Amino acid sequence: MQYSYKTEPYAHQREALEISADLSVYAYLFEMGLGKSKVVVDNAAYLWTQGEIDALAVVAPNGVHRQWINQQLPTHLPDYVPYQGAYWVSSPKKDERQALDALWQPGDDLRVFAINVEGLSTQKAKEALKSFLLARTAMLVVDEASRIKTPGAKRTKALMNLGKHAPYRRILTGSPITQGPLDVYSQFKFLDPEILGFSTYTAFSHHFAEFQKRRTNNNRQGYFEELVAYKNLDELQDKIKQWSYRVKKEDVLDLPEKVYQTREVELGTEQKRLYKQLLEDGVASLGADTQDAEQALWDMLTGENPTVSVTNALSLQLRLQQILGNWMVDAEGESHKIEKTNRRLEQLKQVLEETSGQVIVWAWFQNEIEEIYAELDEPTVLYYGMIDGQTRQEAVEKFQNGEARVFLGNPLAGGIGLNLTAANTVVYYSQAYSLEVRQQSEDRAHRIGTTETVNYIDLQAPGTIDEKVTEALQKKADMAAHIIDGKELEALSEGPVDSEFV
């Protein structure tokens, strides 16, 4: 193909573009940090030079959509491609409104519109994107496409309908499978329903999985289908391969290794009492046997012993994790410290004393983040839900240029799209039962630009839900590796599959 790059590509980026440049649909399944955004920018520029498109629309996680306009385009779009770009803001300031309005004005330059996927749950955002696609001949890209894996979700349905107005479509993700093989249905249906060969999710799921009917515990809501096993996975793998380009770090980059370790945190006396009491009372209230309450709760979460509401089981899990972090939520919803000395926080301080270099600390709960920030005697920047967009960007810049030693944040807010390669240690103070969040947050520090070994440290209370979460995440990762990377199932960790009930 005839195309002049602005920034020289790696071999895998060049090959991916040459394979897919003229195709109407394609999936870039690059592991995090391998530059899939650059491939899309180059693909859009190439198609513009060929007269095939005059617009690029990008749907990305909140915050990441701004980076497409502020970072990806200026860095990778060739200078001979004139463009105008703007990102979606529900209540834009004057300059943001002017930039958005300019996208609809007449002109031959490339128009780029980036919108956050969360916004597609609103009518206002959907209408804006639809209007842009109808006014232009566009390539529509879904960045971190696993965000649309749920067939019945509003934003998934919205993108299915919006995709019909774009002659070129792309999905980007390093983790297309975060719960199980059925995750790929909506992502590839967005590209083209013919790829997987099934017009409905029910037909697709019953071809690649086996279900059995189960009654809910109280029998009042009748039956539901519980997933008990997967099947025909080699066939699914073949279908995906035809329309995707898979890249793993170990295959294309000479990156330093990841090193994992666990630091055990013993619970205080009152923590143990409250944890045991809440676990047993909570499991009993959900209608399960309390002889092994820990396993009973996990069976409910994974569908092995379904309850009327898995939401209630998830709520119990989160409350237990808060106790492990030395916090208790009372009946009025107020949080209180349990032990005078927070042993988990003391372990974190010990880790910081023992390690050199810069450190990312991921914590799941706001009160944990605020407590850590108040107690650390280190230059620290914050990145979580209560921090505004401008301050978040400044936090990243300060960390990357060495003004702060610790980057402290929530992995759901900061675990996607950020470049935090200044870190050589990543500490999980607490974490969620989400493979996508774990993998994404790990690779903020392990990507193009990483020069040192990255150490990942999990703080865990032995014999608690901490260990169960870690084990479950590994099992999910093993299943995803079989479908996407072709690893043998015999080598995967043992245990029951996750239920679709979850």
Side-chain angles (χ1 to χ4, degrees):
M1 56 178 288
Q2 298 298 316
Y3 176 71
S4 297
Y5 294 93
K6 179 177 182 179
T7 55
E8 188 65 21
Y10 284 85
H12 68 275
Q13 293 173 318
R14 185 186 298 274
E15 184 176 10
L17 180 62
E18 290 177 349
I19 291 173
S20 63
D22 293 297
L23 298 179
S24 58
V25 300
Y26 208 70
Y28 299 124
L29 307 183
F30 291 23
E31 284 190 341
M32 284 76 76
L34 293 183
K36 50 189 177 290
S37 300
K38 170 181 165 49
V39 178
V40 167
V41 172
D42 285 324
N43 199 169
Y46 167 76
L47 289 171
W48 180 86
T49 63
Q50 300 299 304
E52 294 295 325
I53 66 170
D54 60 10
L56 170 64
V58 179
V59 179
N62 191 30
V64 178
H65 73 299
R66 290 190 292 270
Q67 293 181 30
W68 276 87
I69 304 301
N70 296 333
Q71 296 178 20
Q72 302 299 339
L73 290 174
T75 301
H76 301 299
L77 191 69
D79 295 334
Y80 58 80
V81 179
Y83 78 97
Q84 295 187 62
Y87 52 80
W88 169 254
V89 182
S90 57
S91 299
K93 299 176 183 176
K94 182 179 180 180
D95 58 336
E96 293 170 332
R97 167 52 59 194
Q98 291 175 341
L100 284 167
D101 289 343
L103 297 182
W104 275 261
Q105 300 304 313
D108 297 327
D109 51 353
L110 179 68
R111 305 299 171 90
V112 185
F113 181 33
I115 188 168
N116 58 308
V117 67
E118 297 84 356
L120 292 182
S121 297
T122 69
Q123 191 63 29
K124 185 178 180 181
K126 283 188 291 187
E127 289 299 326
L129 182 54
K130 182 178 180 180
S131 172
F132 181 74
L133 295 174
L134 290 175
R136 297 283 170 181
T137 303
M139 172 191 284
L140 177 59
V141 177
V142 181
D143 190 4
E144 301 305 340
S146 60
R147 296 295 182 93
I148 62 166
K149 65 178 179 287
T150 306
K154 286 184 179 180
R155 59 192 181 197
T156 303
K157 291 179 177 179
L159 275 168
M160 294 298 173
N161 291 324
L162 290 166
K164 299 172 184 176
H165 305 300
Y168 292 89
R169 296 178 293 281
R170 301 287 186 266
I171 61 172
L172 317 180
T173 180
S175 310
I177 296 173
T178 59
Q179 296 290 346
L182 304 187
D183 286 353
V184 303
Y185 175 75
S186 294
Q187 298 172 68
F188 280 84
K189 184 180 179 181
F190 164 77
L191 292 178
D192 189 331
E194 298 300 318
I195 291 177
L196 296 176
F198 297 89
S199 58
T200 67
Y201 179 71
T202 298
F204 168 80
S205 62
H206 282 77
H207 184 78
F208 293 108
E210 293 181 358
F211 298 85
Q212 66 180 12
K213 281 192 174 182
R214 294 281 298 271
R215 279 190 177 276
T216 56
N217 278 5
N218 64 8
N219 291 329
R220 294 176 183 174
Q221 298 180 19
Y223 293 92
F224 68 92
E225 285 194 326
E226 179 193 8
L227 189 156
V228 295
Y230 296 111
K231 59 184 180 180
N232 302 322
L233 295 185
D234 291 341
E235 177 188 343
L236 180 59
Q237 184 184 58
D238 290 340
K239 288 177 179 291
I240 292 172
K241 276 186 175 181
Q242 296 177 49
W243 296 96
S244 64
Y245 189 92
R246 175 62 169 169
V247 188
K248 297 189 293 179
K249 291 180 190 174
E250 62 194 62
D251 297 331
V252 298
L253 294 181
D254 187 20
L255 286 176
E257 65 177 331
K258 290 181 176 182
V259 176
Y260 297 90
Q261 60 176 292
T262 299
R263 294 290 188 97
E264 292 190 350
V265 180
E266 289 294 333
L267 299 180
T269 302
E270 185 64 7
Q271 275 181 291
K272 289 179 181 177
R273 185 188 71 79
L274 289 173
Y275 184 89
K276 184 174 185 292
Q277 178 181 322
L278 177 60
L279 177 63
E280 293 180 349
D281 291 350
V283 168
S285 71
L286 294 174
D289 188 353
T290 60
Q291 289 185 342
D292 187 347
E294 196 91 49
Q295 187 60 46
L297 172 60
W298 201 248
D299 287 346
M300 288 186 280
L301 290 168
T302 57
E304 292 302 299
N305 182 16
T307 65
V308 174
S309 174
V310 170
T311 301
N312 291 339
L314 289 169
S315 176
L316 175 58
Q317 174 200 334
L318 291 174
R319 290 169 63 198
L320 289 168
Q321 286 183 298
Q322 287 178 312
I323 292 176
L324 299 181
N326 200 43
W327 290 89
M328 184 70 181
V329 180
D330 62 25
E332 285 72 40
E334 297 293 327
S335 297
H336 306 276
K337 289 185 179 181
I338 300 171
E339 305 281 351
K340 183 177 181 179
T341 299
N342 186 338
R343 301 187 182 194
R344 187 167 292 232
L345 181 54
E346 292 304 307
Q347 182 65 259
L348 172 61
K349 292 179 180 179
Q350 187 67 33
V351 169
L352 292 175
E353 288 180 10
E354 296 172 2
T355 58
S356 60
Q358 291 171 259
V359 182
I360 300 170
V361 178
W362 296 121
W364 192 246
F365 301 101
Q366 181 176 329
N367 51 16
E368 291 179 337
I369 293 173
E370 293 173 348
E371 181 184 20
I372 294 168
Y373 185 71
E375 293 290 331
L376 286 189
D377 187 22
E378 300 274 4
T380 303
V381 292
L382 290 171
Y383 199 112
Y384 68 109
M386 301 301 292
I387 305 299
D388 65 82
Q390 180 61 36
T391 305
R392 290 187 187 192
Q393 184 59 40
E394 292 173 357
V396 174
E397 293 172 358
K398 287 180 179 179
F399 184 72
Q400 284 295 93
N401 65 28
E403 293 181 51
R405 187 192 176 205
V406 177
F407 183 97
L408 171 61
N410 179 299
L412 195 59
I416 295 179
L418 300 185
N419 184 345
L420 302 175
T421 52
N424 57 13
T425 301
V426 181
V427 180
Y428 285 88
Y429 191 86
S430 55
Q431 67 177 321
Y433 178 41
S434 168
L435 178 62
E436 179 184 15
V437 171
R438 175 65 189 226
Q439 291 180 332
Q440 288 276 7
S441 59
E442 278 193 14
D443 284 329
R444 296 312 95 209
H446 196 260
R447 57 199 297 111
I448 294 174
T450 301
T451 59
E452 299 181 34
T453 296
V454 183
N455 296 286
Y456 296 88
I457 301 173
D458 286 275
L459 304 186
Q460 291 186 1
T464 69
I465 202 74
D466 272 349
E467 292 183 339
K468 293 287 187 181
V469 169
T470 301
E471 292 169 5
L473 292 180
Q474 183 58 56
K475 194 177 86 173
K476 289 181 179 182
D478 290 343
M479 180 60 73
H482 172 66
I483 302 298
I484 304 303
D485 300 325
K487 290 188 178 180
E488 293 297 325
L489 280 172
E490 289 76 11
L492 305 186
S493 58
E494 296 180 356
V497 299
D498 292 330
S499 170
E500 284 298 286
F501 193 66
V502 178

